[in-house]
Amino acid sequence: MMIVMNIESIREKGNAMTAIPSVLITGASTGIGASYAERFARRGHDLVLVARDTARMEALAARLRQENGVAIDIVQADLTQPAELATVETRLRDDARIGILVNNAGTAIGGSFIEQSTDDVARLVALNTTALLRLASAIAPRLAAAGEGAIVNIGSVVGLAPEFGMTVYGATKAFVLFLSQGLSLELAPKGVYVQAVLPATTRTEIWGHVGADVNTLSNVMEVGDLVDAALVGFDRRELVTIPPLPDAGQWDALQAARQAMLPNYGNQHPAERYRTVA
Ligand code: NAP
C-alpha cells in the first residue's frame, strides 16, 4: 500500500511538472522576452506569454505554434497595475505545469534624476522590481515544494555601474541582482535554479523609450545572440550570466572581494578611523 501511494505521488508530481515544463515569460511581446519565447518554443516548451500588447503576442504565438507545435497561452497584463499583476501571480501559484519563470518585463526612462518625474520613477520601480519580486514570490514556494524548476531574472550591467548615469534604472537592476543571488542561496538547496542575466546594450525597443536611437550606439548586441548566450548560462546552471563580459574571472574577482569583507562587518566598536576627531 505504502509503495503504491509513493508511486502515485510520483506520478502526480510527474504530471504536475512534466519533463518539459511550461515557461511563463513576462515582457514577451517584443525584444528579449520575445526572443526567449522563440528559443523555449524551439526546445519544445509550452509557453505563457505576458505583456500589454495582445496583438503582438498573438502574432508571435501563431508563428511559434505553427513552427514548433507547442501550446501557447496569452495573458494581457500591465504589471504596474496591482489587479492585473495579481492575475499573473495567481496563474503562477496555481498552474503546476509552469516550471520556469522568465522575469523579463522591464523598461527604462530617459533624463537625469532631477528631470524624471516622481510618478515616472515610481512606475519604473513598480515594473522593474515590485512586479518581478511578486512574481518570484508567487511561484517560488510551489517550485520549492516540487523540488525543481527555475526562475530567470533579467537584470542589467547598469546595476553594477552607477557611472553609466541611469541611476534609478540601475538601482532597480542592482535589486534584481541581489534578489537573485539571495534567492539562489535559499532555493538552490531545495532544487530550484535561480539565474540573473545581465545584458549590456542590446538591440531592442527599450532604447526608444529613453529617447535614444540604438543605431547610433556602438557595441550593440543582437537580441538573439544575447538570449542564446543567456541560455548557455542557463543550461550550465550559472548563477550570474553576463553575456558581453569576455573575462569571467573579473566577475569572480568582484565576488571574491565582496566576500572577503564579510567577516569584517561584525565588530562591536567603530573602526579606528571613526574614533579620531577631524
Ligand atoms: P523592450 O524591447 O522595450 O521590451 C520590453 C517588454 O516588456 C515588452 O514586451 C513590453 O511589452 C513589456 N512591458 C513593458 N512595460 C510593461 C508593463 N507595464 N506591463 C507588462 N509588460 C510590460 O525591452 P528589452 O530590451 O527587451 O527589455 C527586456 C529586459 O531586458 C528589461 O528588463 C530590460 O531592463 C532588460 N535589459 C535590456 C537591455 C537592452 O539594451 N535592451 C540591457 C540590459 C537589460 P508591452 O509594451 O506589450 O507591455
Side-chain angles (χ1 to χ4, degrees):
M1 183 60 182
M2 210 38 205
I3 292 167
V4 173
M5 279 179 67
N6 284 344
I7 290 169
E8 281 309 313
S9 80
I10 290 164
R11 270 208 199 106
E12 273 167 28
K13 198 166 142 182
N15 287 342
M17 211 177 282
T18 52
I20 302 184
S22 299
V23 185
L24 186 144
I25 304 167
T26 66
S29 62
T30 184
I32 293 170
S35 200
Y36 263 108
E38 173 138 22
R39 294 330 193 236
F40 273 120
R42 267 192 220 162
R43 291 178 171 209
H45 294 265
D46 292 340
L47 304 176
V48 181
L49 308 181
V50 179
R52 294 167 301 180
D53 189 329
T54 313
R56 286 180 113 177
M57 289 190 287
E58 291 286 6
L60 176 65
R63 180 168 65 79
L64 297 183
R65 283 184 199 112
Q66 214 227 331
E67 289 174 358
N68 304 286
V70 295
I72 303 180
D73 284 352
I74 286 166
V75 178
Q76 183 184 33
D78 181 340
L79 298 174
T80 64
Q81 299 302 313
E84 296 180 35
L85 177 57
T87 62
V88 187
E89 292 171 32
T90 302
R91 180 75 186 259
L92 287 169
R93 276 196 194 93
D94 295 348
D95 187 345
R97 292 167 301 176
I98 300 171
I100 301 173
L101 164 65
V102 181
N103 247 330
N104 163 78
T107 194
I109 50 177
S112 66
F113 187 60
I114 56 173
E115 292 164 347
Q116 294 166 340
S117 81
T118 307
D119 285 345
D120 283 350
V121 289
R123 245 190 317 274
L124 182 67
V125 170
L127 180 63
N128 290 13
T129 65
T130 307
L132 177 140
L133 169 72
R134 292 193 66 101
L135 297 179
S137 175
I139 196 174
R142 184 170 60 73
L143 298 185
E148 60 184 343
I151 300 173
V152 178
N153 294 323
I154 308 301
S156 168
V157 295
V158 179
L160 296 168
E163 295 80 1
F164 287 176
M166 299 172 75
T167 303
V168 180
Y169 176 79
T172 68
K173 294 305 183 179
F175 175 93
V176 172
L177 174 61
F178 190 109
L179 183 77
S180 304
Q181 291 175 303
L183 290 184
S184 183
L185 288 169
E186 291 194 37
L187 296 176
K190 300 183 189 304
V192 181
Y193 167 52
V194 181
Q195 180 192 28
V197 177
L198 278 53
T201 309
T202 308
R203 192 181 309 282
T204 71
E205 295 171 10
I206 201 171
W207 293 99
H209 302 312
V210 300
D213 177 358
V214 71
N215 296 315
T216 64
L217 305 175
S218 52
N219 300 319
V220 180
M221 191 174 289
E222 297 302 327
V223 69
D225 292 341
L226 181 275
V227 173
D228 285 339
L231 286 170
V232 171
F234 179 87
D235 291 338
R236 289 182 186 153
R237 294 298 187 249
E238 196 173 57
L239 303 185
V240 178
T241 298
I242 311 178
L245 186 70
D247 179 3
Q250 286 189 309
W251 172 255
D252 295 338
L254 179 65
Q255 293 312 295
R258 187 180 60 71
Q259 287 170 338
M261 287 196 288
L262 301 185
N264 303 332
Y265 294 142
N267 286 304
Q268 187 180 358
H269 300 293
E272 182 63 34
R273 66 186 177 285
Y274 300 119
R275 284 190 264 150
T276 50
V277 180

